[in-house]
C-alpha cells in the first residue's frame, strides 16, 4: 500500500536518505503550510530502513495532531505498530512507531519508559520550537543514543 508522495516530497525523502548515508545524523525539512510535512515524515522510517528492532519517535506539539499523524504513519507503514503516548494513552515501550506530544516526554519518569537505544530516528514536528527547555530535555535524553538520527520538520 504505502503513501503516495508528490515529486517534491519524494525528493525530500531521497535527500534525507542521501545525507543520512553520509553520516549526517541531524537534518531539518522546511516546507510551507499545506505541503504535506506529515506525509513526508511518515515515509522516512521505511526510506531509512529502520530495522524492526528499532523504533521511530515522532513528537507533535499539539495533541490534536496525534490522530492525523497516526493515520499518515499507518498508511505509509501498514505492517508496523503505531501507537500514541500522551495524556492517558500509553504506547508500548516496544511499539514500532511512537507518536507523542512534548508535554509527557518532558516530564521525568515518563520519557524514561522509552530507552533511547531503542530508537533509530526521532522526528520533531514544528521543529522551530525545539530550542525551548522542554524540547531540549527530551532531545538531550534521546541523543544519548549516538546512532540516533534526528529529523526536524517545520
Amino acid at each position: 500500500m504505502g503513501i503516495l508522495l508528490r515529486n517534491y516530497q519524494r525528493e525530500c525523502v531521497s535527500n534525507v536518505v542521501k545525507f543520512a548515508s553520509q553520516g549526517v545524523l541531524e537534518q531539518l525539512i522546511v516546507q510551507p503550510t499545506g505541503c504535506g510535512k506529515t506525509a513526508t515524515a511518515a515515509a522516512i522510517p521505511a526510506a531509512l530502513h529502520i530495522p524492526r528492532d528499532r523504533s521511530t519517535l515522532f513528537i507533535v506539539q499539539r495533541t490534536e495532531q496525534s490522530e492525523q499523524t497516526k493515520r499518515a504513519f499507518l498508511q505509509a507503514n501498514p505492517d508496523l505498530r503505531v501507537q500514541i503516548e500522551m495524556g492517558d494513552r500509553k504506547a508500548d515501550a516496544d511499539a514500532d512507531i511512537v507518536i507523542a506530544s512534548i508535554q509527557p516526554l518532558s516530564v521525568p519518569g515518563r520519557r524514561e519508559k522509552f530507552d533511547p537505544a531503542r530508537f533509530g530516528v526521532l522526528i520533531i514536528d514544528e521543529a522551530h520550537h525545539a530550542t525551548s527547555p522542554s524540547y531540549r530535555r527530551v532531545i538531550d535524553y534521546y541523543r544519548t543514543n549516538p546512532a540516533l538520527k534526528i529529523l526536524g520538520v517545520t
Side-chain angles (χ1 to χ4, degrees):
M1 183 187 203
I3 196 164
L4 184 60
L5 296 178
R6 296 177 182 106
N7 289 338
Y8 65 87
Q9 292 168 314
R10 281 194 302 277
E11 181 179 357
C12 184
V13 171
S14 176
N15 283 331
V16 168
V17 171
K18 177 178 87 174
F19 288 113
S21 72
Q22 295 172 0
V24 178
L25 295 178
E26 298 179 9
Q27 298 184 54
L28 179 65
I29 294 173
V30 179
Q31 294 178 335
T33 301
C35 283
K37 291 181 290 292
T38 303
T40 302
I44 297 293
L48 288 175
H49 303 291
I50 300 298
R52 288 301 295 242
D53 65 337
R54 295 289 174 112
S55 298
T56 296
L57 176 59
F58 187 94
I59 299 177
V60 296
Q61 183 177 18
R62 294 187 307 274
T63 304
E64 305 83 45
Q65 298 170 294
S66 63
E67 284 300 328
Q68 173 191 354
T69 302
K70 181 179 179 180
R71 283 191 301 275
F73 272 86
L74 281 171
Q75 186 178 0
N77 308 277
D79 59 328
L80 299 182
R81 290 182 317 131
V82 180
Q83 298 181 351
I84 295 176
E85 177 79 20
M86 61 182 63
D88 60 354
R89 297 176 78 174
K90 310 285 190 231
D92 296 331
D94 65 346
D96 299 311
I97 297 173
V98 176
I99 298 162
S101 63
I102 191 63
Q103 291 81 8
L105 292 180
S106 64
V107 176
R110 194 150 178 190
R111 74 175 155 257
E112 287 78 11
K113 168 183 171 180
F114 302 103
D115 179 4
R118 174 106 174 92
F119 292 102
V121 64
L122 166 62
I123 304 172
I124 304 166
D125 193 28
E126 305 292 340
H128 54 278
H129 294 284
T131 59
S132 73
S134 59
Y135 276 85
R136 297 307 322 154
R137 281 190 297 274
V138 171
I139 293 166
D140 291 345
Y141 173 74
Y142 290 107
R143 186 183 272 145
T144 60
N145 170 357
L148 181 68
K149 294 170 183 64
I150 300 175
L151 177 66
V153 293
T154 193

